[in-house]
C-alpha cells in the first residue's frame, strides 16, 4: 500500500484535535504502564517474578516496535485505534484476574499495543505538520508530555484507587480509554 497523506489545508482546529487524541492515547498507555506498579507486589510473587511482570511490557514493546513501525506508514490512525482497543483488553484482564500468567500475557499484549500507539501517534503528528517544521517540533514535544503525565500520575493513582477497591484503578482507566 502507498502511505496515506493528509491534505495540506488541514485546519487549526483539526490539528489541535489530532494533538489531543495522540496526547490522550499516550497518556492512557503510559498511565497503564505505571498504574499497576504499586499493585504488583500484592500478587505475592517473588521479587524476580515481580521484575519479570514489570519488564514484560517494555520487552514486548522493544521487540514489536520494528515490525509495527514497518506497517504503520501505510495507515493513518487505524494502528492507534487498534492499540487503544488492545490496551483496553489488557486493562480488563488486570481488573478481573489475579492470575500471574494472565497478568504476564496482559502486560505483553500491552507492549504490542504501545508500539502501535507510539508509532502511529507520532507519525500522525508528523504528517499533520509536514509543512511546518517548527510547529512539528512543538507538537511532538506537546504530545510527548502525555507520556510524562501518564508515567507521573500512574503510580499514585494506582495505589490510591487500589486501596479503595482492587479492580478500581483498571476500571477507571478503561473508562478513560
Amino acid at each position: 500500500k502507498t502511505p496515506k497523506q493528509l491534505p495540506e489545508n488541514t485546519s487549526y482546529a483539526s490539528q489541535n484535535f489530532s494533538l489531543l487524541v495522540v496526547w490522550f492515547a499516550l497518556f492512557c498507555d503510559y498511565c497503564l504502564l505505571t498504574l499497576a506498579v504499586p499493585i504488583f507486589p500484592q500478587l505475592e510473587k517473588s521479587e524476580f517474578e515481580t521484575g519479570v511482570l514489570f519488564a514484560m511490557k517494555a520487552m514486548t514493546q522493544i521487540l514489536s516496535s520494528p515490525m509495527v513501525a514497518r506497517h504503520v506508514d501505510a495507515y493513518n490512525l487505524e494502528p492507534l485505534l487498534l492499540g487503544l482497543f488492545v490496551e483496553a483488553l489488557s486493562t480488563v484482564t488486570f481488573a478481573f484476574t489475579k492470575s500471574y500468567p494472565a497478568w504476564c500475557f496482559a502486560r505483553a499484549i500491552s507492549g504490542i499495543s504501545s508500539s502501535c500507539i507510539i508509532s502511529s501517534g507520532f507519525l500522525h503528528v508528523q504528517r499533520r505538520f509536514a509543512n511546518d517544521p517548527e510547529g512539528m517540533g512543538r507538537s511532538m514535544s506537546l504530545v510527548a508530555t502525555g507520556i510524562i503525565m501518564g508515567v507521573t500520575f500512574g503510580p499514585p493513582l494506582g495505589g490510591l484507587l487500589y486501596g479503595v477497591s482492587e479492580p478500581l484503578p483498571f476500571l477507571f482507566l478503561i473508562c478513560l480509554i
Side-chain angles (χ1 to χ4, degrees):
K1 287 187 165 183
T2 59
K4 291 182 182 177
Q5 294 297 322
L6 295 171
E8 288 186 34
N9 59 349
T10 56
S11 72
Y12 182 72
S14 175
Q15 287 178 334
N16 284 341
F17 183 72
S18 291
L19 293 177
L20 179 65
V21 167
V22 174
W23 183 94
F24 192 72
L26 292 172
F27 172 79
C28 288
D29 182 36
Y30 279 84
C31 192
L32 179 60
L33 170 69
T34 59
L35 183 82
V37 172
I39 302 167
F40 287 164
Q42 302 299 321
L43 294 175
E44 296 179 13
K45 296 293 176 183
S46 70
E47 289 179 7
F48 174 77
E49 288 174 317
T50 300
V52 167
L53 188 59
F54 185 71
M56 187 66 69
K57 179 173 178 161
M59 185 177 65
T60 56
Q61 185 174 347
I62 289 168
L63 294 174
S64 65
S65 285
M67 292 174 281
V68 169
R70 174 185 286 164
H71 297 289
V72 87
D73 192 38
Y75 303 95
N76 196 13
L77 284 178
E78 289 91 349
L80 181 96
L81 298 174
L82 175 66
L84 285 173
F85 177 75
V86 172
E87 195 80 34
L89 290 178
S90 70
T91 306
V92 168
T93 303
F94 289 128
F96 296 111
T97 186
K98 283 208 168 208
S99 161
Y100 181 79
W103 274 48
C104 281
F105 177 75
R107 287 289 281 187
I109 65 169
S110 182
I112 295 167
S113 71
S114 286
S115 296
C116 292
I117 292 168
I118 289 174
S119 298
S120 64
F122 279 107
L123 179 64
H124 182 72
V125 171
Q126 184 269 327
R127 286 181 178 164
R128 282 283 184 189
F129 292 89
N131 297 326
D132 180 10
E134 186 177 314
M136 184 188 312
R138 282 192 311 264
S139 298
M140 294 285 189
S141 298
L142 180 65
V143 297
T145 64
I147 296 171
I148 297 164
M149 296 291 280
V151 168
T152 303
F153 284 106
L157 185 66
L160 178 70
L161 294 177
Y162 189 78
V164 174
S165 171
E166 291 180 3
L168 190 58
F170 305 108
L171 296 175
F172 175 77
L173 193 59
I174 290 168
C175 290
L176 287 181
I177 294 173

